[in-house]
Every structure is written in structure tokens, then in C-alpha cells.
Amino acid sequence: MSIVSNSLKRIKPSPTIAVTTKAREMRAAGKDVIGLGAGEPDFDTPDNIKEAAIKAIKKGDTKYTAVDGTPDLKKAIQAKFLRENNLSYELDQITVGTGGKQVLYNAFMATVNKGDEVIIPAPYWVSYPDMILLAGGKPKIVKCDEKDSFKITANKLKKAISKKTKWLILNSPSNPTGSAYTKEEIIELSKILIKNKKIYILSDDIYEHIIYNNFNFFTTAQIKALKDRTLTMNGVSKSYSMTGWRIGYAAGPKEIIKAISKVQSQSTSNPSSISQAAAVEALNGTQDFIKTRTDSFKQRRDFVVDSLNSIKGLSCLRPEGAFYVFPSCKKLLGKKTKLKTDKDFVEKLLERSEVAVVQGSAFGLDGYFRVSYATSMENLKKAMNRIKSFCENLN
Ligand code: PLP
């Protein structure tokens, strides 16, 4: 009999991390792999943020902090919500964790009972369903259509709700599609949610700042009637190129925030004191570089979308944000190409052309693949040429 627990048997390792690992191994074996699988900006952490961390080390900020974050960081988060989202929170409505991922994990561990349902629009970020399964809940996957830019509609939401629904997860801009919900779309969804008073909303806003063409970012907690039922998760990983520092946070109802901190107090305790000092500078310091970096991401998005759409058999929407696109490869699947699934497509692409992307089925929607364009233009140009010749040689 295996030592592994039954709850762990319900889940699988992260498929995005698996692709990155495979690409790394191939590179170590001397192959010229271009990785378009990773979910992190290629930019470095800005110098003012690094300096704040160095200062913290020298000052001796190297001890345990409050489990749910230092008062300085909580104040910086409080100010961020007010400044950028016009949302006001008390300090005890804010918690800080070791990355947004830990905050989400704690939130589900703290609130999901056996059999509780969590509505997850697909395509989704790979970790949501497995976190729910680990917590003993039931992911209720709602497949969203490309014609709706892969977003959940009010109608689909209504149909997915049952007596057991505990949470709805919304992620905008989205990983893996880059699509973002407009204010009007969130208002439409909120009409259903206001009527269903027992449902909580988890808004994953981690890509808030990576958004193009002056898209008006809007988040569910800005709907007054839903603020008391919304947990807004965010973090410094993507906006400030701080993936390795591991700082994420959430704001919402006191009861949930307290419960999240309780889980944390019996698992990891506080996130790194040094990373917290760096995050204070990220949130309070200059925000100028965000625009320059976003402009660069936009240029890459346009190049990638145009390139993919020029390849016979592929088609790709032009999303509003994040650093991903989610092209369809459905036309290249079938007898003619001998590729049955998107996974076959992705595996052959890696084997034959040494480009690493992730299959759509890993995100809950078959027939697509995710491209992360958080890499240099030079890499992207090479990768697009390789994808083009790979696709042309399939028939
Ligand atoms: N949410 C989404 C949609 C993500 O893509 C990620 C990271 O890939 C996270 C949350 C977690 O980010 P972190 O733990 O680095 O804060």
C-alpha cells in the first residue's frame, strides 16, 4: 500500500512546471530549446526594490514577522487598493502570503468543506482545480467559448450554480488566455451573484498591471453589493518582476482573512521578512517602469498574434492583457497530420522543432495551446519561424 495520502492521489503535478522542467532538461542535453512555457516576466526586478531588500538585510530585518505580514506591508497594500481600485480596507482585512499561490491555497483550505462546489471557468490557471480537490471540494468546470473570448457568460454562470456552490473564481486578465473582463461584463455576472447570496467570489487579479490599450481594469470588489463576499488576491510577482521573492496578498471579509492567517500560522508562518521589505518598496515606490515594460509586452503580443495568424491551420485572438496567447490548433488535428490531441501537437513541436508551449487541455480546454511571450523578441522571432515550418510540414 502506498504511503501517499488519498487526498494527494486526487491531484497531479503542475503541467506548466512539467513543460518548463522538460525544456530545461533538453537544454542541459545540448538542445537549442526555446521556452514559451514559463509564466514569469523575463525582466529583472527593478533596482529600487532590490536596494530596499539589501537595506532590510543590513538593518537586521531578518527575524520572524507577524504571521500575516508586517504592518508596513499591510499599509502599503491598503494604500494600493485605495489608490488603484478605489477600495478601502481595514488592516485586519488584509493578509500576506508566500506568493499569491499560497494565499489561494490557504483560502481554499480555510473555507472549503467536503462536497462544496467551486465554479471555475475554463480555460483556467492549472492550480485552481487541484487546490480545490486537495481541500476536499468539487471543481465545477465551466467551459467557455472562444467566441466569448474564453470568458464565462451570465447565462453559463447561472446554469453552473447549485445549492452547493461556495465560490466562483474569476481571473482577469487571465492565465492562460490573456482575456480580461470589462466593467460591463462583471456587472452582468454580478446580477446573478447578488441574487445568490451564499456564493463567495475569488478574484485573482495577479495580472492587473499587464494590460494594454488603456483597457479599464475593473474588479468584482468594486461592485458594492459584492464587496463583503469578495476575496481579492493580488501580488508582486508579475507586475514587478518579483516571481522569486514570493509575496502575494489578499483583501476581503475579516472572517476569511483571519482563517487564512490561521492556516498560515500552522504551516509556513510569515513570508520572508526581506521579501516583504522589498514588496513595500514595490508598492510605494515609483511605478514608472510598469508602463515601459507593458509597452514592450504589447509589442511582443502583437508580433506573436500576427505571426500565429499567418500560419495555416492556426488562429489566435488578440487578448487585452497578461503575457499569454491561447491559439487554436484544432485544424491541425486529425488523420491527415496524425496528431490526435493538442498534447500530441505540443509534444511533437518540442521534439521536432524544439519550441516548448503548453497544451490547452492542461488548462481545461482541448484543441488549443498556450504561448507565453515573456521572452525576448529575438527568441520570439526564432520560435515563430520554427512553429511555422513545423505546421507547414505536418500535412
Ligand atoms: N494566479 C495566476 C492566474 C497565476 O498565473 C499565478 C502564477 O503563475 C498565480 C496566481 C500565483 O502567482 P505567485 O504565487 O507567484 O504570486
Side-chain angles (χ1 to χ4, degrees):
M1 215 168 70
S2 163
I3 183 77
V4 173
S5 71
N6 291 336
S7 59
L8 200 75
K9 281 183 197 145
R10 288 197 287 266
I11 71 162
K12 54 187 183 318
S14 162
T16 45
I17 293 178
V19 169
T20 317
T21 310
K22 173 103 195 273
R24 200 178 292 137
E25 282 166 10
M26 285 176 71
R27 232 175 267 128
K31 307 248 188 225
D32 173 31
V33 177
I34 305 174
L36 305 182
E40 63 180 348
D42 53 321
F43 301 115
D44 198 4
T45 305
D47 281 341
N48 62 313
I49 299 174
K50 288 183 181 173
E51 289 302 329
I54 292 165
K55 214 165 130 193
I57 295 175
K58 291 196 170 153
K59 215 171 88 196
D61 282 352
T62 53
K63 306 277 197 270
Y64 291 131
T65 72
V67 164
D68 57 349
T70 61
D72 279 355
L73 181 50
K74 284 187 169 191
K75 278 182 209 152
I77 293 165
Q78 186 183 45
K80 177 263 175 238
F81 275 115
L82 197 59
R83 181 178 71 235
E84 296 183 347
N85 313 106
N86 198 24
L87 287 170
S88 80
Y89 291 104
E90 306 288 331
L91 291 183
D92 59 1
Q93 290 184 286
I94 292 169
T95 189
V96 184
T98 302
K101 203 173 202 169
Q102 191 196 21
V103 175
L104 290 173
Y105 180 83
N106 290 350
F108 295 129
M109 280 295 158
T111 59
V112 172
N113 288 315
K114 192 163 180 273
D116 282 349
E117 290 179 0
V118 178
I119 299 178
I120 307 177
Y124 47 70
W125 180 47
V126 292
S127 295
Y128 300 138
D130 286 325
M131 285 182 186
I132 305 304
L133 288 171
L134 257 184
K138 245 175 95 180
K140 178 110 178 199
I141 308 295
V142 178
K143 293 200 182 202
C144 301
D145 296 326
E146 188 174 350
K147 71 168 175 40
D148 298 321
S149 303
F150 305 108
K151 291 181 271 192
I152 191 167
T153 58
N155 213 7
K156 285 197 172 176
L157 173 62
K158 208 162 137 187
K159 282 193 193 140
I161 292 173
S162 82
K163 281 197 183 109
K164 292 184 179 161
T165 308
K166 185 102 175 215
W167 285 99
L168 161 70
I169 301 180
L170 288 177
N171 171 218
S172 170
S174 146
N175 176 3
T177 66
S179 294
Y181 287 82
T182 62
K183 180 176 177 180
E184 291 68 31
E185 285 166 340
I186 293 189
I187 289 173
E188 276 311 299
L189 297 176
S190 76
K191 288 179 190 161
I192 315 280
L193 295 163
I194 289 168
K195 279 189 211 148
N196 288 274
K197 297 194 187 318
K198 284 193 184 154
I199 302 178
Y200 282 80
I201 302 98
L202 189 306
S203 184
D204 179 342
D205 296 359
I206 197 99
Y207 294 98
E208 171 179 9
H209 288 125
I210 305 171
I211 207 150
Y212 314 123
N213 298 354
N214 296 322
F215 184 90
N216 184 15
F217 177 82
F218 190 79
T219 189
T220 310
Q222 290 173 301
I223 307 266
K224 267 203 184 91
L226 291 178
K227 189 175 174 228
D228 289 348
R229 283 195 270 142
T230 302
L231 185 70
T232 305
M233 188 234 94
N234 209 323
V236 295
S237 287
K238 318 283 177 174
S239 305
Y240 301 94
S241 300
M242 290 177 71
T243 44
W245 300 76
R246 312 306 304 127
I247 296 292
Y249 56 85
K254 279 182 195 173
E255 193 186 2
I256 300 181
I257 294 294
K258 209 170 146 193
I260 288 176
S261 303
K262 194 169 169 187
V263 177
Q264 193 153 294
S265 75
Q266 295 293 20
S267 50
T268 58
S269 289
N270 64 276
S272 150
S273 56
I274 299 149
S275 297
Q276 289 192 70
V280 171
E281 174 62 19
L283 295 175
N284 287 347
T286 174
Q287 307 289 304
D288 290 352
F289 60 90
I290 292 182
K291 173 152 185 2
T292 330
R293 290 180 176 192
T294 306
D295 285 349
S296 166
F297 276 137
K298 180 176 178 284
Q299 201 192 350
R300 298 174 195 184
R301 176 203 64 174
D302 288 337
F303 170 72
V304 168
V305 170
D306 292 342
S307 304
L308 290 169
N309 280 326
S310 74
I311 299 171
K312 207 168 161 232
L314 299 183
S315 61
C316 184
L317 296 180
R318 193 178 306 268
E320 294 83 10
F323 37 70
Y324 309 105
V325 288
F326 201 64
S328 165
C329 57
K330 284 182 191 167
K331 287 195 179 143
L332 295 176
L333 304 179
K335 274 193 190 131
K336 230 166 133 191
T337 60
K338 297 196 189 77
L339 300 176
K340 277 199 198 124
T341 63
D342 50 10
K343 192 156 184 273
D344 296 340
F345 176 88
V346 161
E347 281 173 2
K348 283 281 169 295
L349 179 65
L350 183 58
E351 256 170 50
R352 289 187 199 158
S353 303
E354 299 178 345
V355 176
V357 295
V358 186
Q359 66 276 14
S361 45
F363 306 94
L365 205 66
D366 297 350
Y368 298 85
F369 61 102
R370 187 192 76 172
V371 172
S372 162
Y373 52 86
T375 185
S376 68
M377 259 310 215
E378 193 193 336
N379 270 346
L380 290 173
K381 280 182 187 159
K382 253 197 323 193
M384 291 303 127
N385 282 336
R386 288 188 195 181
I387 295 177
K388 190 176 169 83
S389 51
F390 170 77
C391 293
E392 282 172 357
N393 288 316
L394 277 177
N395 293 320

